[in-house]
Amino acid sequence: MNEKKQIDNILLVMPEIPSWKVGARELVRAFFPNAAIQFNKDTDDNKDILILKVSIQSDKLVMTAKQFGNKIQQKSYDDIKRPIVSKKFKGFFYRFLSELTKRSLPWGCLTGIKPVKMAQEILDANNNDWAQSKQSFQRAFDVSKEKTDLAFNIAKVEAPFIHVKERNKVSVYIGIPICPAKCTYCSFVSTIADKKGKLCSEYMNILINEINRFSLFIQEHKLIIDTLYIGGGTPSVLTAEQIQRLLETLTEKFNLSNLREFTFEAGRPETTTLEKLETLHHYHVNRICLNPQSMNDSTLQAVGRLHSADDICEKFAMIKKVGFESVNMDLIVGLNDETPEMFFSSLEQVIALHPENLTVHSLAIKKGARLREQKGCGLHQLYSKEFYDEISQRLESSGYHPYYLYRQKYAQGNGENIGYCLDGKEGIYNMLMMAEKQTIIGIGAGATGKVYHPENNRFDKVYTVKDLRTYNQRAEEVIDNKLMAYFKYFNA
Ligand code: SF4
């Protein structure tokens, strides 16, 4: 393979098996992040394109790579057991690509977004035999030792928090998918607040109605609320009065005496005021999210944030003065093609504030993000392994340890998002979300819920409409459908 030349176009010629095609696309994207991928098209072999062909020939799986019309690699995997499940196929295809590119990926052929959950499941299957579980994880997916250790260390931290025995213990997520302005990298379906506040007040009325309906359901089914999370969007875009009304309703209608955690996302500092924070504190919110994303003003401006780094410091001091137990702060690697030095400058400034939780995201430019129209899903700034290692070293030497992790499609450098925390300050809802071992009741637009079936360790999603205007127009029908899904689950 011509290693010096960047691969811009890749054609995959393979059987029409949907799960194989998904797996193949994910792996090709991980090895060749900037290449356009096509499937099963006619093409001229001599064109400047890398052709990867997969075929099943009697009891063999054959993989071939051609570039500029020349066969550059062929592998055949013999005595394949049928049927070839997608997980097995991915393993073979990963090894083929790894030999072709002479590179291995830190997460091997594991392209799913929840590797820690996978580690937990392997541990459960092996009766918590750590050595054996790690070995099977590493072997099954070709994951590096370093990532295996990371996934298993996080699984260990999470274990005491996520195994909730009672089926009637649930978490509640309340969605406020409204923002003051759109960040260029955002693909989340959030609506921009209008100046007169009409959208927020209309949404609040409908949301309160949904909370009332769910409160009856929760009481009737004797559900215990374990954690409560008000997320967005930007929930702090609501006025102090609206926040007060929301929290008063929750306190009045729900029994919050068993809460292990109550989080409110006040992600953008320009929306946060002392009055709002005092209201949140009065109603026993104990965890606040304040997200700088970067502490470089030029980056903040370039990505459509309406605040400066100084605003973050000012609001952080205000949050601490009001007296919240825990603050989470997010940073994103790769925003505006920041250099490593720029990222470390942000990291040091945030560490100096000493928040209880610090989450480091890898920029992922997904469909729907404005940035994707501007530059596709590829990025110009590439970061080395040493750069990522230094992030964790700096955090760990400042008293932080990783407590939750997830991966995203299109993530910069095929990296992951890692939540770090000070000792004893784990963000519980985050861990529950990733572990998927508890039922989550989602209330509001875009609030996808989950019902967990412990008998077979399976969960089903409870979908809802994402778009706020559709939710506002069809609220009764949307709420009926959601309640029906939870009703079926709790009455099964
Ligand atoms: S604040 Fe969050 S949800 Fe809102 S536009 Fe920015 S990234 Fe998206």
Side-chain angles (χ1 to χ4, degrees):
M1 185 174 169
N2 187 340
E3 286 159 47
K4 289 200 184 103
K5 193 160 178 2
Q6 180 177 307
I7 306 288
D8 293 323
N9 293 294
I10 294 179
L11 174 67
L12 278 155
V13 181
M14 60 186 297
E16 285 292 342
I17 303 172
S19 61
W20 284 27
K21 286 173 79 177
V22 171
R25 182 193 288 279
E26 286 170 344
L27 284 172
V28 169
R29 195 187 289 128
F31 277 99
F32 305 97
N34 295 315
I37 304 168
Q38 289 191 309
F39 281 95
N40 298 339
K41 291 253 165 68
D42 286 336
T43 186
D44 169 2
D45 263 13
N46 293 314
K47 267 174 84 180
D48 186 3
I49 186 166
L50 176 65
I51 302 176
L52 302 171
K53 188 172 175 192
V54 177
S55 59
I56 304 168
Q57 297 171 12
S58 61
D59 59 348
K60 289 182 190 157
L61 183 64
V62 181
M63 299 185 184
T64 314
K66 273 186 175 183
Q67 198 177 19
F68 311 119
N70 302 319
K71 193 187 282 181
I72 50 172
Q73 180 165 301
Q74 179 159 42
K75 291 292 274 187
S76 117
Y77 302 94
D78 302 342
D79 294 326
I80 299 286
K81 266 200 211 136
R82 302 294 185 91
I84 309 170
V85 294
S86 61
K87 191 173 125 189
K88 267 263 178 261
F89 163 73
K90 267 174 87 176
F92 290 125
F93 195 54
Y94 169 77
R95 278 168 212 158
F96 177 74
L97 292 177
S98 181
E99 281 180 37
L100 178 69
T101 57
K102 299 183 184 56
R103 279 194 298 132
S104 53
L105 301 175
W107 288 103
C109 66
L110 207 52
T111 51
I113 61 171
K114 299 185 180 91
V116 177
K117 185 180 172 195
M118 199 79 88
Q120 275 154 356
E121 281 170 3
I122 293 180
L123 273 168
D124 290 344
N126 288 301
N127 289 324
N128 276 325
D129 180 331
W130 280 73
Q132 195 187 331
S133 302
K134 279 171 121 174
Q135 206 179 49
S136 350
F137 183 80
Q138 232 174 321
R139 279 206 191 136
F141 307 112
D142 287 301
V143 180
S144 69
K145 180 178 176 318
E146 204 183 342
K147 295 296 179 196
T148 302
D149 287 345
L150 177 65
F152 277 76
N153 288 345
I154 294 179
K156 196 175 194 171
V157 174
E158 285 187 354
F161 294 94
I162 58 164
H163 292 287
V164 180
K165 299 272 181 310
E166 306 91 325
R167 188 181 157 104
N168 68 337
K169 205 168 236 189
V170 299
S171 284
V172 174
Y173 177 88
I174 302 208
I176 314 284
I178 308 174
C179 289
K182 194 82 176 165
C183 307
T184 58
Y185 54 87
C186 178
S187 57
F188 181 76
V189 184
S190 72
T191 307
I192 304 306
D194 56 306
K195 286 213 170 65
K196 290 189 177 149
K198 203 167 156 262
L199 191 73
C200 286
S201 60
E202 192 185 353
Y203 182 61
M204 278 304 294
N205 291 335
I206 300 170
L207 184 66
I208 298 283
N209 172 41
E210 184 169 348
I211 292 170
N212 288 335
R213 292 191 62 191
F214 265 100
S215 83
L216 292 175
F217 180 87
I218 287 173
Q219 279 168 35
E220 273 168 20
H221 291 81
K222 300 191 173 33
L223 305 185
I224 299 167
I225 304 178
D226 186 23
T227 72
L228 178 53
Y229 194 106
I230 303 179
T234 310
S236 47
V237 78
L238 300 174
T239 62
E241 293 71 32
Q242 286 165 338
I243 291 174
Q244 204 264 343
R245 182 179 170 211
L246 174 61
L247 298 189
E248 181 61 35
T249 308
L250 289 170
T251 310
E252 197 187 305
K253 300 287 178 179
F254 290 165
N255 177 356
L256 302 181
S257 61
N258 296 296
L259 280 189
R260 281 194 288 171
E261 183 182 86
F262 188 177
T263 301
F264 187 95
E265 284 187 356
R268 300 177 61 141
E270 73 275 23
T271 60
T272 303
T273 63
L274 184 60
E275 192 185 1
K276 291 182 193 180
L277 290 172
E278 283 174 341
T279 306
L280 293 168
H281 192 250
H282 174 78
Y283 285 97
H284 307 296
V285 168
N286 64 354
R287 184 170 178 270
I288 294 278
C289 302
L290 172 73
N291 300 327
Q293 317 297 24
S294 165
M295 292 295 273
N296 296 302
D297 286 342
S298 56
T299 301
L300 292 171
Q301 214 178 4
V303 301
R305 305 282 290 189
L306 306 177
H307 61 87
S308 63
D310 283 350
D311 295 333
I312 288 284
C313 297
E314 186 202 324
K315 293 298 157 70
F316 182 84
M318 198 183 269
I319 289 169
K320 281 287 160 190
K321 198 163 173 220
V322 172
F324 294 94
E325 274 171 42
S326 188
V327 183
N328 174 66
M329 301 181 89
D330 284 357
L331 285 176
I332 303 178
V333 171
L335 275 187
N336 202 30
D337 287 324
E338 282 191 344
T339 59
E341 292 68 32
M342 288 172 88
F343 180 81
F344 285 126
S345 155
S346 294
L347 185 67
E348 289 304 330
Q349 289 177 64
V350 173
I351 289 175
L353 295 172
H354 214 51
E356 286 71 17
N357 297 172
L358 203 166
T359 311
V360 180
H361 296 259
S362 293
L363 178 63
I365 309 178
K366 297 188 203 160
K367 275 184 200 144
R370 230 165 56 208
L371 209 52
R372 178 127 165 181
E373 288 154 29
Q374 292 163 8
K375 54 198 279 185
C377 57
L379 293 152
H380 300 128
Q381 175 68 44
L382 295 175
Y383 301 96
S384 63
K385 180 182 172 304
E386 290 67 33
F387 166 76
Y388 288 103
D389 288 349
E390 193 171 337
I391 295 176
S392 50
Q393 278 158 18
R394 289 198 191 197
L395 280 159
E396 285 174 33
S397 65
S398 306
Y400 292 89
H401 64 264
Y403 77 96
Y404 95 113
L405 176 153
Y406 66 99
R407 302 174 69 212
Q408 292 188 95
K409 274 188 185 166
Y410 305 109
Q412 153 80 316
N414 199 22
E416 57 275 322
N417 300 336
I418 304 182
Y420 291 85
C421 68
L422 297 175
D423 278 352
K425 295 292 180 184
E426 290 80 4
I428 301 172
Y429 177 83
N430 289 337
M431 293 188 286
L432 291 169
M433 267 299 283
M434 288 303 139
E436 294 176 323
K437 290 198 184 306
Q438 187 186 61
T439 291
I440 311 261
I441 293 188
I443 299 180
T448 301
K450 286 176 188 172
V451 289
Y452 175 60
H453 304 272
E455 54 289 354
N456 49 12
N457 193 29
R458 195 174 59 77
F459 73 93
D460 293 318
K461 285 195 174 175
V462 180
Y463 289 102
T464 185
V465 292
K466 288 187 176 165
D467 172 60
L468 191 102
R469 290 194 170 86
T470 315
Y471 172 84
N472 283 354
Q473 281 159 12
R474 294 177 28 210
E476 286 303 322
E477 173 201 337
V478 170
I479 300 167
D480 284 349
N481 289 343
K482 261 201 264 184
L483 279 164
M484 184 53 76
Y486 289 108
F487 182 86
K488 276 190 192 150
Y489 170 74
F490 283 106
N491 292 282

